[in-house]
Amino acid sequence: MEEHVGQLWHRLITRAAQQRHPQAAVALDEVATPIGVFFRALGGDGGLQVQPAEATDYRGRRSLLQRVAGSQRKVRLAWRDEQALRLPPAIDWFDTPALNRDLYFWLAALAATPHDLTSHWVLRNQQLCRVALQRFPGLRPRYRRLLEAHLAQRPDPGRLPAAEAEQERLLQQALREPGAVGTFPTARREPWPVPLWLHPSPPLVAAATAADPGEGNNAHEGGQKELENEGRRRAERVDKPQEDRGLVTIRMENIFSWSEYVKVDRSTDDEEDLDQAADAARDMDTLSVSRDDKPARGRLKFDLDLPAEANDDSVLNDGLLLPEWDHRKGVLVPDHCRISLMSALDAVPIELPEHLRPTARRLRNQFSLLTPGRQWLRAQPDGSEIDLDAYLRYAGDRRAGIQAHADGLFRDLRQNRRDLSCLLMADLSLSTDTWIDNDMRVIDVIRDALFLFAETLSSVGDPFALYGFSSRKRDPVRVHQLKDFGSRYDGRTRARIQAIKPGYYTRMGAAIRYATRELERQATETKLLLLLTDGKPNDLDRYEGRYGIEDTRKAIIEARSQGLQPFCVTIDSRGNDYLPYLFGRRGYAVIHRPAQLPRTLPMLYSRLTGA
């Protein structure tokens, strides 16, 4: 009974203290795609993705009801960092969905304008507002609507202490006339949040505490669990705590309440359940990170799932060194990645799997029209037969006394060729071990797609090569040679395709650069580079987030400068968020039903080659 009454009281007091409008809320998921397009159209960084922002502490004045209810202790505001444009997961500041939706677009416009985080947040946001309204006059009616609605919500300066009242008056003046306020005083409490502006002090990037280049990253080589839709977390670097410290005294005034306590000092081998670690991380506003080279059971379990060296593909060479793009420094780092070319040399030749034969037969029939035919070439200097038309013209000119040359009197029957070559590079990272059906994994879908793609192109006669790739840091990047341009498609190639298995991670830029080198050697006019993947570029080291995206984009630009046509085929449902920045608006295709990939891939090839 007491618990039931407590729940009723909590709902009642929380509703009474609520100053938002949940009935008019607009979720970020509803507007993420148009917001991304709008942000980039206004000149925003194309490499940034739209992601949810986490709640941050609010230390301003709260009403009595809010203090009783324990609400309004955190606030979600927008900001932009190196990785993403971060917007609130939902906006319910206003009582109409139209205004809440307008606020999303206004915040995207502010974030599209370059700004300096070192300046005071009031001066910085005034400058952003002024520049946005000058560059995009069409936003002025939207801003006026938002401003009127927001000013009606702000506290009355007459009811605040002197210092806070002065802050409030200046803030309202800055909102009405961006740029009018040159200095901003301090007060004991923070001012009421300004949802029309970007975050005063964006959270620190947790990635800043990652391993420095060149240092060991053993702590990352094990099992991982991603906190989805949680935003970035504030982090701090601390010394590794001593596990056996004996009796530790605690100053009681440092313990605010039992509900705020979370066990954060945990050793590397006491957390078998990664779900429990994820729950603990969600409860912490600040993550304290320290270095620890001690292996954990989660990581050992992760590594044991990978192929042993005795059962792995054979290494074909000592490795090829390739550069990598460092977007922070703006330089191409030479000899940064090592490509290790591998192949299943002991693969026993096999036939096409039974379940693919009907589809392969149907595709071969459909593509039979693309098979180059034989054609008579006339007026040739030599050939298998006399060209009667050319000979009659020659004889008539001679009889009429016209000078004629006997250098094109033959015809020859020759085989036509489509002047193109294609290299398909398939992502064989560990994520391909994911199940997409009760009896099928991503790697199974990729394997079937490679089978049908090879069957189709071998029937057409176009030169093609098949490779797979995965990586474990920059050395080595494993490239599995399934079929090169110089070999036939036969039972041994099918055996290599059958032998593919999930590998490590996805260092996409290095794989594209290797494929570019192979395609450059082909003496064809059209060179198509197909990338088949299930996710974004990533690896154990700093090749994560923006770094991997920028390196991949640079590799694609390099490939295009060499006359290649890169095209990406992905089964990642979020591919539309980042692939336009990498491959361009028409340089990729998202397959929303992965099981359709094997039948769709040959048809995409037909479309790309203009057949």
Side-chain angles (χ1 to χ4, degrees):
M1 184 63 182
E2 292 179 0
E3 182 179 356
H4 179 66
V5 172
Q7 291 175 351
L8 291 176
W9 166 253
H10 176 71
R11 286 198 295 267
L12 176 64
I13 196 65
T14 302
R15 191 180 300 115
Q18 180 66 263
Q19 294 182 339
R20 302 295 184 87
H21 305 275
Q23 75 283 357
V26 175
L28 179 59
D29 291 342
E30 302 173 16
V31 296
T33 299
I35 285 292
V37 175
F38 181 76
F39 174 72
R40 295 176 183 93
L42 297 188
D45 191 337
L48 300 184
Q49 301 178 43
V50 178
Q51 294 186 1
E54 75 262 23
T56 54
D57 292 335
Y58 169 65
R59 296 182 176 87
R61 185 173 296 277
R62 296 186 295 157
S63 66
L64 176 61
L65 279 178
Q66 290 173 343
R67 293 198 299 271
V68 172
S71 61
Q72 197 66 17
R73 300 176 62 180
K74 291 181 178 292
V75 64
R76 293 183 185 267
L77 299 174
W79 74 88
R80 188 191 77 182
D81 58 29
E82 190 184 66
Q83 303 292 339
L85 166 61
R86 306 193 182 275
L87 299 172
I91 291 182
D92 56 359
W93 287 96
F94 305 112
D95 57 0
T96 63
L99 283 175
N100 290 321
R101 181 183 175 89
D102 282 348
L103 182 54
Y104 268 125
F105 284 90
W106 170 250
L107 293 172
L110 289 186
T113 305
H115 54 278
D116 181 15
L117 288 177
T118 60
S119 60
H120 192 276
W121 68 278
V122 174
L123 305 181
R124 179 172 70 246
N125 279 287
Q126 287 184 94
Q127 176 67 11
L128 291 177
C129 289
R130 186 171 56 189
V131 172
L133 294 174
Q134 289 175 352
R135 291 177 60 195
F136 316 112
L139 293 176
R140 291 174 182 172
R142 178 174 297 178
Y143 179 71
R144 282 195 294 268
R145 292 194 300 269
L146 292 170
L147 177 61
E148 292 174 2
H150 177 56
L151 289 178
Q153 297 174 336
R154 295 198 67 83
D156 181 5
R159 298 185 176 183
L160 297 175
E164 296 178 33
E166 180 63 16
Q167 280 190 337
E168 184 60 31
R169 279 192 292 267
L170 290 175
L171 277 177
Q172 294 190 20
Q173 181 183 359
L175 285 165
R176 292 189 182 94
E177 305 173 36
V181 175
T183 58
F184 194 74
T186 60
R188 181 171 174 269
R189 295 183 180 275
E190 295 179 0
W192 206 70
V194 186
L196 273 60
W197 286 355
L198 300 185
H199 201 295
S201 179
L204 298 176
V205 179
T209 62
D212 297 328
E215 294 187 28
N217 285 323
N218 294 335
H220 296 280
E221 295 178 6
Q224 299 181 16
K225 181 171 183 64
E226 182 179 357
L227 299 180
E228 297 182 355
N229 298 325
E230 290 287 335
R232 311 199 88 165
R233 314 292 286 187
R234 181 180 283 112
E236 62 178 359
R237 187 189 294 273
V238 298
D239 294 332
K240 181 178 179 295
Q242 299 295 325
E243 296 180 9
D244 300 323
R245 291 173 295 181
L247 180 63
V248 179
T249 60
I250 301 176
R251 295 178 60 185
M252 298 307 296
E253 59 266 26
N254 291 337
I255 301 180
F256 299 102
S257 70
W258 177 256
S259 63
E260 294 179 358
Y261 171 75
V262 179
K263 180 186 177 185
V264 296
D265 178 14
R266 56 184 77 237
S267 62
T268 56
D269 58 356
D270 69 350
E271 193 58 79
E272 183 70 22
D273 188 355
L274 294 181
D275 290 329
Q276 293 182 15
D279 292 339
R282 292 190 184 96
D283 291 335
M284 290 183 272
D285 293 329
T286 300
L287 302 181
S288 298
V289 182
S290 64
R291 295 205 180 281
D292 185 5
D293 295 332
K294 182 178 179 180
R297 286 176 293 180
R299 293 195 297 274
L300 291 174
K301 184 180 296 183
F302 185 95
D303 285 344
L304 290 174
D305 289 336
L306 300 173
E309 184 175 355
N311 300 323
D312 205 358
D313 289 351
S314 302
V315 178
L316 300 182
N317 57 26
D318 294 333
L320 171 67
L321 296 178
L322 292 177
E324 186 167 277
W325 177 252
D326 188 335
H327 77 283
R328 298 186 184 93
K329 299 179 180 178
V331 297
L332 197 65
V333 183
D335 299 340
H336 191 71
C337 298
R338 183 175 68 88
I339 299 292
S340 180
L341 190 62
M342 313 179 75
S343 181
L345 298 180
D346 57 349
V348 179
I350 63 171
E351 296 295 327
L352 185 68
E354 183 69 30
H355 70 282
L356 295 177
R357 293 178 185 176
T359 305
R361 190 180 307 113
R362 185 164 57 251
L363 287 172
R364 282 195 295 267
N365 292 336
Q366 289 176 327
F367 277 73
S368 61
L369 297 177
L370 301 181
T371 304
R374 304 179 71 188
Q375 181 181 7
W376 283 105
L377 300 181
R378 299 181 177 276
Q380 300 297 308
D382 55 59
S384 59
E385 294 183 6
I386 297 291
D387 187 344
L388 292 180
D389 292 337
Y391 181 78
L392 290 176
R393 285 194 299 271
Y394 170 75
D397 291 343
R398 289 288 301 271
R399 186 178 294 273
I402 301 175
Q403 184 177 1
H405 298 283
D407 56 356
L409 303 182
F410 296 90
R411 68 173 188 168
D412 195 23
L413 186 62
R414 298 179 186 175
Q415 183 78 24
N416 289 334
R417 286 192 59 189
R418 283 157 44 96
D419 195 18
L420 62 89
S421 54
C422 175
L423 186 149
L424 189 149
M425 182 69 74
D427 175 8
L428 303 181
S429 60
L430 195 64
S431 59
T432 60
D433 202 24
T434 305
W435 291 88
I436 59 174
D437 240 332
N438 292 333
D439 57 348
M440 182 171 289
R441 299 173 299 164
V442 172
I443 191 67
D444 301 324
V445 172
I446 292 177
R447 183 182 295 112
D448 289 351
L450 292 174
F451 274 131
L452 293 180
F453 186 79
E455 291 285 333
T456 302
L457 266 66
S458 63
S459 67
V460 174
D462 292 343
F464 71 100
L466 302 177
Y467 291 86
F469 78 97
S470 67
S471 64
R472 192 171 187 181
K473 303 182 185 178
R474 61 188 180 95
D475 184 4
V477 178
R478 299 152 51 95
V479 174
H480 300 261
Q481 180 178 286
L482 308 177
K483 177 192 176 302
D484 60 12
F485 284 106
S487 61
R488 292 190 311 114
Y489 173 68
D490 53 16
R492 192 173 296 279
T493 304
R494 286 190 287 267
R496 295 193 186 106
I497 296 175
Q498 184 66 37
I500 64 173
K501 59 180 73 71
Y504 300 91
Y505 297 90
T506 314
R507 210 172 195 97
M508 200 173 286
I512 292 175
R513 288 187 177 91
Y514 180 81
T516 299
R517 291 172 63 96
E518 292 299 307
L519 273 172
E520 283 178 344
R521 300 173 182 171
Q522 302 306 306
T524 56
E525 182 178 357
T526 303
K527 302 173 184 179
L528 179 62
L529 196 168
L530 280 179
L531 182 68
L532 182 59
T533 181
D534 68 335
K536 293 190 294 185
N538 71 91
D539 208 334
L540 286 172
D541 51 14
R542 61 179 177 174
Y543 204 87
E544 184 71 39
R546 186 70 182 275
Y547 186 97
I549 290 288
E550 291 296 340
D551 176 61
T552 302
R553 184 171 186 264
K554 183 68 173 180
I556 295 167
I557 293 174
E558 294 168 357
R560 288 201 173 104
S561 68
Q562 300 297 325
L564 276 63
Q565 297 181 11
F567 191 88
C568 179
V569 182
T570 184
I571 58 175
D572 183 6
S573 59
R574 301 179 181 177
N576 289 312
D577 295 339
Y578 58 90
L579 287 177
Y581 181 68
L582 295 178
F583 289 88
R585 189 165 56 90
R586 298 186 178 181
Y588 72 97
V590 178
I591 309 299
H592 294 286
R593 297 180 60 189
Q596 299 295 325
L597 176 64
R599 288 186 290 272
T600 304
L601 187 59
M603 307 312 295
L604 278 173
Y605 176 81
S606 174
R607 190 190 75 186
L608 292 171
T609 55

